[in-house]
Amino acid sequence: MGGVPDGVVIAGIIVVVLVAQLRPQRVATEARAWWVLPAVLVVATVSDGGLVDPRHRTVSVFLLAASVLAGAATGMAWAWTTRVWEDDSGAYWAQGRLTTLGVWAGALLVRGALHGLALLAGVHQGSAATTLALAAALLTRSAVVVLRTDGPGALVRAVHEDAHDCGHGGGCGHGPDRDRDLYGHAAGHAAGHPAGHPAGHGGVHGKGRTTR
């Protein structure tokens, strides 16, 4: 992945993504480009080559597949620890929780274990397995969050939005006046704001106050 050390690039991507996901984000806005970053990571990794160690092809392929599956599992857990709610206009919002950090801590432990197995087997992996696992996590997380909003139909609409701009200026506005999370809690009331009164810039109420 160029002259910059791969570990630094990967760590930087993880930090930037996690910081962003811990803030409220409109799901429809995410959906318009939910596949872009994973695709970039996959293309960059494949173009660099070195996915499989020619000296240990079978073990190398097994470890690579295990890394990708672990990444997908991380993405699913990440999505299910993400708070998703609907505002009065019908738009959906998503925000990571502190438990999301726990998911990533576990993912790093699994990645470390797989790397240790590779060292014991004498398999050279470089950063390919880690990058593909990260791509799988990002893609899976986005897909599951979209599915959580309104089932498979929401995912179809999200893919449709990737090819068509979101309403030519419509549907891409800012936050809601009052939120209702998907577990039935009135998040705006929990934040101490009456219905119909904005909470300030962005208008997202009850951030991090949903109980599950």
Side-chain angles (χ1 to χ4, degrees):
M1 298 179 73
V4 180
D6 293 343
V8 174
V9 173
I10 295 171
I13 292 173
I14 292 175
V15 170
V16 169
V17 169
L18 280 178
V19 169
Q21 296 301 329
L22 289 175
R23 300 172 181 172
Q25 294 190 0
R26 189 166 179 162
V27 175
T29 302
E30 288 183 319
R32 296 189 348 252
W34 60 288
W35 53 269
V36 173
L37 182 54
V40 169
L41 291 174
V42 171
V43 170
T45 302
V46 172
S47 63
D48 280 350
L51 291 176
V52 177
D53 188 339
R55 300 171 303 170
H56 308 279
R57 289 187 179 276
T58 301
V59 178
S60 182
V61 169
F62 172 80
L63 290 173
L64 184 63
S67 295
V68 173
L69 289 175
T74 298
M76 291 187 67
W78 181 6
W80 284 106
T81 57
T82 296
R83 176 191 170 210
V84 179
W85 71 96
E86 181 183 9
D87 66 21
D88 284 345
S89 70
Y92 289 96
W93 295 74
Q95 181 181 15
R97 303 175 179 179
L98 291 180
T99 49
T100 301
L101 300 180
V103 169
W104 275 98
L108 292 176
L109 289 176
V110 171
R111 179 63 206 132
L114 290 173
H115 184 68
L117 290 175
L119 291 177
L120 290 175
V123 176
H124 175 73
Q125 285 191 315
S127 63
T130 302
T131 306
L132 291 180
L134 177 59
L138 292 171
L139 186 64
T140 305
R141 182 264 174 192
S142 296
V144 173
V145 166
V146 172
L147 282 170
R148 284 184 60 191
T149 62
D150 196 23
L155 187 58
V156 173
R157 289 191 295 273
V159 174
H160 186 266
E161 287 177 7
D162 288 336
H164 300 81
D165 189 72
C166 64
H168 302 290
C172 295
H174 296 289
D177 288 338
R178 183 182 55 158
D179 302 329
R180 177 178 59 80
D181 69 46
L182 295 189
Y183 305 106
H185 299 282
H189 288 243
H193 300 286
H197 290 76
H201 299 293
V204 181
H205 295 255
K207 294 188 288 184
R209 296 175 189 246
T210 301
T211 58
R212 184 175 181 179

